[in-house]
Amino acid sequence: MKAVVVILVALFAICYGQFFANIRLPDEALDFAMKNPAQKAAKTENPAVCITVNFKRCQSAFDNILGFDTTLDWKNSFALTDAIQNYAQGDRIKFLNLCYARSYFYQCLGAQYASCVSLYNLLDEDGSTASEAYNFVQTFHSLDFICNAGFEEVLNQYACMKGVTTGSPDYDMCISNFSTKLGQQPQQFCSHVNETSQCIQKAFSKGCQATDPRGSGWFGCETFRQSFEETCGETSRCFVH
């Protein structure tokens, strides 16, 4: 069992160490996430029907704008998230283009966006697994935040934030602890998300002391927290302090 936990920690840290979550949740934690009541609320609030043909067309356009393989979608979302991560790590210009692609994707889907980018829809799509579906939704929840409320913080503190996600021991420890706790207590999923959000807030604040530690801390906290929004809903909030 100890060996399994160690392997899980290593895998988790490798998958998350950038702007976007690319998380292969333990089976027990994934099972909890899929059954969480927040999912039922999300389905009720998004009555629009997702038209698969349109969803595929908009996803392909998103990929094309960024120069990705246009076959990348929710069925191979870990590869898609890797591509987004690598692109976002380029420079500010690429980050701007990434947010443009996200805006195009959102406008392309229109009223169908919330229904298409949801676990309920993706689990009904052919070829989609629970793990791939969950990761796809996580990625776009993070992207929605980063390209909207968090946009100014990214542009103003891009260099130091990039440094935190790729080289901060404090940040790595937050992620490793989260991974360990998920493996040990999956039923406390949302509590672990909340605790880790606060931990990441401190890591970002410390890593960006020379620029705006309060703003960067809030950004780091919200980016992580909102990637789990569809599971945990309004269970927590990040504050500037």
Side-chain angles (χ1 to χ4, degrees), residues 165-187:
T165 60
T166 57
S168 165
D170 295 316
Y171 177 87
D172 290 343
M173 184 59 68
C174 294
I175 300 304
S176 293
N177 288 342
F178 180 56
S179 175
T180 301
K181 290 176 181 178
L182 273 185
Q184 295 173 344
Q185 297 176 308
Q187 71 279 5

Side-chain angles (χ1 to χ4, degrees), residues 50-51 54-56 58-59 104-113 116-117:
C50 179
I51 301 173
N54 191 46
F55 190 18
K56 289 181 177 179
C58 295
Q59 180 66 62
Y104 181 91
F105 181 62
Y106 181 85
Q107 293 174 22
C108 181
L109 287 172
Q112 298 175 40
Y113 180 84
C116 289
V117 185

Side-chain angles (χ1 to χ4, degrees), residues 14-22 68 78 80-90 98:
I14 290 170
C15 290
Y16 192 86
Q18 299 187 46
F19 281 109
F20 300 90
N22 193 5
F68 297 167
F78 287 104
L80 174 62
T81 304
D82 281 341
I84 292 173
Q85 286 176 332
N86 292 334
Y87 193 90
Q89 294 285 358
L98 174 61

Side-chain angles (χ1 to χ4, degrees), residues 31-50 52 55 74 112-126 128-130 132-138 141 229-231:
D31 183 62
F32 172 85
M34 305 303 286
K35 295 177 180 178
N36 191 276
Q39 302 295 340
K40 298 177 182 178
K43 185 175 183 180
T44 302
E45 294 167 4
N46 301 326
V49 175
C50 179
T52 300
F55 190 18
W74 55 92
Q112 298 175 40
Y113 180 84
S115 294
C116 289
V117 185
S118 74
L119 291 175
Y120 277 106
N121 172 64
L122 295 178
L123 290 175
D124 288 335
E125 294 285 351
D126 292 338
S128 181
T129 66
E132 296 281 4
Y134 195 87
N135 180 69
F136 183 87
V137 173
Q138 275 190 307
H141 274 317
E229 184 81 1
E230 192 154 334
T231 298

